[in-house]
């Protein structure tokens, strides 16, 4: 067994390996001659006070200590084995497929969107031509929303499954090994497509199938058991196990399930805006004036405030990032944020969102599974209307928003389709605008300098999580009414990011493997 030692250093000392080891040995009282091997196991930044420190966990092996190596993906040939249908090729679907191969089952993936390379052209059209392809966009296609939305891997879902396994698979398929060390690991939108492609190729090489431009349009259930699925309104395929990993923006899937009398429910979600500051300002605030330090990464922040009984918090914070247009249908606008691997853009952006319970919404009925979804759609369409019915978004300087003034001009922003000056107090529902205003004032007190009219609010940030829950049995993970149908990942309401979705994909296939092993 190895020894773990916690040390704290100054940022510039990270590259002095001799100093790191000596500090760990001094603290642990281990002799240098007894050290067989060592490494930095965990790394985090402590910026609570000046000077900024780096906290490291050093792992030391002595003598006969056993060092467990990374357990990479172990493929099996599955061309002629039992099949599992996987609907959707985001993180949940891809990890479900990889786990199926490890378990000796053949994954057959049906993805409504396109491969990574083809998706790029459709994303370019959103920014340049204001055109949204409802089947190929930031949310739909090879790798799902995660491919082109940053690659932040931080998760609090440690009780939900094997986080380390999910991270190690990313390294196996091409991610930098630093993601196993950093407290808030990040890959970067520029690097993710290559990793996604490597995962897809591994699935196909093992005998799995990947079908693009293949949309789930119907399903058949008999005696509470899934029987078959329809793709593209014409072809039927028989499966007794179907992993439904369609993502939180596949609204047609919710409507399909409801039409088939398969139970779905409204669930709490979060919705708000995305705010952009200059990254240099956030660095100055968070690092106590120590800006342009080459040994510190662009600074991030995390904030939460209770306002009138609802939580308002930062979401998907992107240092050195870009605000992206993430609508999935014509007639709506949606913002999201991402960062390249170096996080070297001059802007910092973050979602600032309000937690919303279905019972707090207009026209609430406990029997209406779409009350949260309808509110989400209402906000997205109102913002689309307010900005001129294009992929431009309504925007306002921060203090102008608080004081109810339409902004006369704007600093340059990273949102490429463009922004339109409006009073967001008149565009956003009061349940959101009133709480956002109070939260921004509170955030300004917590981060001196954050409350500035140089910050620009873009609306809306609305796809934080699914507004619909597809309920499943807590033990079998199968739908509560349909055996063999496995609601999975963000779209089903069981994840909130790349890693939690990936873990849920693994868990759903583990449940399938367990079921068949008991037969």
């Amino acid at each position: 067994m190895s020894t773990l030692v916690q040390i704290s250093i100054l940022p510039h000392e990270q590259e002095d390996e001799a100093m790191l080891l000596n500090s760990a040995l001094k603290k642990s009282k281990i002799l240098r001659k007894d050290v067989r091997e060592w490494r930095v196991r965990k790394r985090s930044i402590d910026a609570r006070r000046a000077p900024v420190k780096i906290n490291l966990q050093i792992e030391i092996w002595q003598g006969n200590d056993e060092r467990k190596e990374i357990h990479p993906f172990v493929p099996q040939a599955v061309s002629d084995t039992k099949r599992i249908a996987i609907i959707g090729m985001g993180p949940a679907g891809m990890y479900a497929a990889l786990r199926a191969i490890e378990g000796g089952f053949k994954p057959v993936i049906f993805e409504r969107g396109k491969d990574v390379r083809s998706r790029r052209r459709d994303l370019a059209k959103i920014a340049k031509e204001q055109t949204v392809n409802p089947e190929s966009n930031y949310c739909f296609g090879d790798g799902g929303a995660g491919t082109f939305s940053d690659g932040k891997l931080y998760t609090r879902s440690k009780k939900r499954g094997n986080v380390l396994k999910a991270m190690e698979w990313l390294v196996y398929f091409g991610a930098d090994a630093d993601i196993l060390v950093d407290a808030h690991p990040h890959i970067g939108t520029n690097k993710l497509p290559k990793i996604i492609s490597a995962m897809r190729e591994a699935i196909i090489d093992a005998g799995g199938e990947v079908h693009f431009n293949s949309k789930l349009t119907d399903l058949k259930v008999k005696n509470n058991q899934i029987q078959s699925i329809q793709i593209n309104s014409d072809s039927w395929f028989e499966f007794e196990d179907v992993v439904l990993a369609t993502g939180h923006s596949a609204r047609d899937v919710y409507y399909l399930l409801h039409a088939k009398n398969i139970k779905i429910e409204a669930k709490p979600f979060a919705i708000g805006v995305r705010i952009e500051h200059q990254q240099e300002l956030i660095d100055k605030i968070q690092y106590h004036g120590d800006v342009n330090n080459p040994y510190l990464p662009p600074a991030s922040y995390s904030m939460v405030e209770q306002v009138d009984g609802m939580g308002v918090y930062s979401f998907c914070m992107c240092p050195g990032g870009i605000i992206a247009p993430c609508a999935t249908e014509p007639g709506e606008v949606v913002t999201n944020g991402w960062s390249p691997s170096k996080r070297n853009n001059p802007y910092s952006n973050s979602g600032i969102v309000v937690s919303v319970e279905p019972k707090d919404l207009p026209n609430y009925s406990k029997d209406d599974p779409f009350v949260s979804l309808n509110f989400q759609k209402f906000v997205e369409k109102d913002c689309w209307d307010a900005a001129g019915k294009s992929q431009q978004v309504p925007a306002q300087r921060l203090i102008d928003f608080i004081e109810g003034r339409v902004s006369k001009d704007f600093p340059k922003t990273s949102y490429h389709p463009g922004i339109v000056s409006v009073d967001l107090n008149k565009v956003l529902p009061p349940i959101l605008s009133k709480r956002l205003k109070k939260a921004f004032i509170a955030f300004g007190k917590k981060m001196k300098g954050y409350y500035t009219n140089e910050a620009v609010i873009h609306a809306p940030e609305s796809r934080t999580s699914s507004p619909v829950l597809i309920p499943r049995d807590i033990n079998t993970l199968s739908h509560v009414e349909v055996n063999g149908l496995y609601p999975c990942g963000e779209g089903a309401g069981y994840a909130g990011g790349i890693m939690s979705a990936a873990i849920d994909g693994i868990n759903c296939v583990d449940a399938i493997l367990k079921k068949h092993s008991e037969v």
Side-chain angles (χ1 to χ4, degrees):
M1 181 181 294
S2 60
T3 301
L4 300 177
V5 186
Q6 308 289 337
I7 64 172
S8 182
I9 63 170
L10 293 171
H12 71 274
E13 295 173 329
Q14 294 177 82
E15 298 179 355
D16 189 341
E17 293 189 354
M19 189 280 294
L20 299 184
L21 178 58
N22 288 335
S23 296
L25 294 177
K26 182 177 181 180
K27 189 169 183 179
S28 64
K29 299 182 180 177
I30 295 173
L31 298 178
R32 180 67 182 87
K33 66 181 181 65
D34 295 330
V35 177
R36 189 183 85 240
E37 198 172 350
W38 70 281
R39 67 169 178 172
V40 176
R41 181 169 175 175
K42 288 295 178 185
R43 176 172 50 235
S44 63
I45 297 173
D46 183 356
R48 290 173 294 179
R49 60 186 65 85
V52 176
K53 296 288 187 69
I54 306 295
N55 291 331
L56 300 177
Q57 183 184 74
I58 306 295
E59 186 169 18
I60 300 173
W61 289 268
Q62 305 176 67
N64 295 322
D65 288 345
E66 179 185 0
R67 177 170 182 175
K68 294 183 178 180
E69 297 299 326
I70 287 178
H71 298 290
F73 172 63
V74 183
Q76 298 191 54
V78 297
S79 297
D80 301 317
T81 61
K82 188 171 183 60
R83 302 184 310 156
I84 298 173
I86 299 172
I87 313 300
M89 201 173 173
M94 295 195 81
Y95 270 73
L98 294 169
R99 180 67 188 107
I101 289 169
E102 273 202 336
F105 281 47
K106 177 177 180 174
V108 182
I109 301 177
F110 297 96
E111 166 57 51
R112 69 193 296 167
K114 302 177 183 179
D115 63 89
V116 168
R117 182 172 295 180
S118 300
R119 284 181 75 185
R120 290 185 185 277
R121 290 190 285 271
D122 293 314
L123 299 185
K125 288 181 179 179
I126 298 175
K128 295 178 181 178
E129 302 175 15
Q130 312 278 311
T131 301
V132 177
N133 182 338
E135 306 303 338
S136 179
N137 44 62
Y138 273 95
C139 293
F140 299 150
D142 199 359
T147 304
F148 295 105
S149 59
D150 197 68
K152 284 183 286 294
L153 305 177
Y154 178 67
T155 179
R156 294 184 177 89
S157 305
K158 304 196 187 304
K159 294 182 179 179
R160 296 185 185 180
N162 193 335
V163 177
L164 181 59
K165 180 185 181 76
M167 299 279 274
E168 287 173 346
W169 278 4
L170 282 169
V171 173
Y172 177 81
F173 287 108
D176 194 299
D178 273 357
I179 68 171
L180 302 176
V181 176
D182 290 330
H184 289 79
H186 171 254
I187 294 178
T189 302
N190 54 315
K191 293 186 175 182
L192 273 165
K194 185 176 180 180
I195 296 168
I196 296 301
S197 296
M199 289 181 167
R200 176 185 2 105
E201 290 167 7
I203 292 167
I204 295 171
D205 289 346
E209 297 179 16
V210 177
H211 301 278
F212 292 113
N213 301 302
S214 299
K215 182 178 179 179
L216 176 70
T217 49
D218 203 353
L219 47 80
K220 290 181 181 178
V221 177
K222 185 177 180 180
N223 297 327
N224 299 322
Q225 168 66 47
I226 191 77
Q227 298 286 309
S228 58
I229 59 174
Q230 184 193 61
I231 301 298
N232 293 339
S233 300
D234 53 20
S235 302
W236 285 91
F237 302 88
E238 293 185 357
F239 288 95
E240 65 174 289
D241 297 299
V242 177
V243 177
L244 195 62
T246 49
H248 59 41
S249 292
R251 292 164 171 170
D252 55 295
V253 172
Y254 304 136
Y255 296 129
L256 170 62
L257 296 178
H258 188 63
K260 306 294 288 190
N261 294 314
I262 296 173
K263 186 176 183 179
I264 61 174
E265 303 170 359
K267 68 177 279 291
F269 72 115
I271 184 169
V273 296
R274 187 157 282 269
I275 188 168
E276 184 170 79
H277 293 78
Q278 288 291 312
Q279 181 61 48
E280 185 175 3
L281 172 64
I282 300 302
D283 290 345
K284 182 178 180 180
I285 295 170
Q286 296 296 80
Y287 293 151
H288 314 284
D290 187 10
V291 296
N292 300 319
N293 187 325
Y295 300 99
L296 289 173
S300 63
Y301 61 83
S302 176
M303 293 188 291
V304 62
E305 186 75 16
Q306 285 295 316
V307 180
D308 300 336
M310 292 183 180
V312 183
Y313 59 93
S314 56
F315 169 83
C316 185
M317 195 275 152
C318 301
I322 286 173
I323 299 179
C326 292
T328 52
E329 295 179 32
E332 64 185 27
V333 289
V334 180
T335 66
N336 198 354
W338 60 266
S339 301
S341 56
K342 292 183 179 180
R343 293 180 163 174
N344 55 355
N345 284 299
Y347 309 103
S348 159
N349 71 76
S350 178
I352 303 295
V353 294
V354 180
S355 297
V356 177
E357 295 282 341
K359 63 180 176 58
D360 297 320
L361 296 173
N363 304 316
Y364 167 70
S365 167
K366 63 183 180 63
D367 298 320
D368 181 5
F370 298 117
V371 63
S372 297
L373 175 57
N374 288 338
F375 182 77
Q376 182 188 62
K377 292 174 66 175
F378 169 79
V379 171
E380 292 172 0
K381 182 171 187 307
D382 271 12
C383 287
W384 181 74
D385 286 334
K389 299 184 178 181
S390 69
Q391 284 306 298
Q392 295 185 108
V393 294
Q396 196 168 11
R397 289 177 181 261
L398 175 55
I399 296 177
D400 288 346
F401 170 60
I402 303 301
E403 298 181 356
R405 293 190 304 267
V406 175
S407 300
K408 295 180 180 179
D409 56 18
F410 291 107
K412 187 176 180 181
T413 83
S414 67
Y415 186 77
H416 291 306
I419 59 178
V420 175
S421 184
V422 303
D423 184 357
L424 288 172
N425 295 281
K426 297 178 180 178
V427 176
L428 298 174
I431 191 176
L432 303 180
S433 60
K434 290 181 179 180
R435 289 171 174 83
L436 286 169
K437 288 163 73 171
K438 292 180 180 179
F440 278 127
I441 293 171
F443 293 163
K445 294 176 180 178
K446 294 177 180 180
M447 289 179 61
K448 304 301 183 184
Y450 183 90
Y451 186 72
T452 170
N453 220 28
E454 293 303 301
V456 179
I457 299 171
H458 303 62
E461 166 70 67
S462 52
R463 305 287 177 94
T464 61
S465 60
S466 172
V468 174
L469 177 73
I470 308 175
R472 67 189 188 191
D473 182 271
I474 191 172
N475 296 311
T476 67
L477 303 190
S478 188
H479 188 277
V480 292
E481 296 175 346
V482 182
N483 295 323
L485 180 64
Y486 294 85
C488 181
E490 288 197 27
Y494 297 100
I498 291 175
M499 293 313 297
S500 57
I503 291 165
D504 203 51
I506 292 174
N507 290 344
C508 284
V509 173
D510 280 343
I512 294 172
L513 297 174
K514 180 181 178 182
K515 178 183 72 172
H516 287 286
S517 70
E518 294 173 348
V519 174

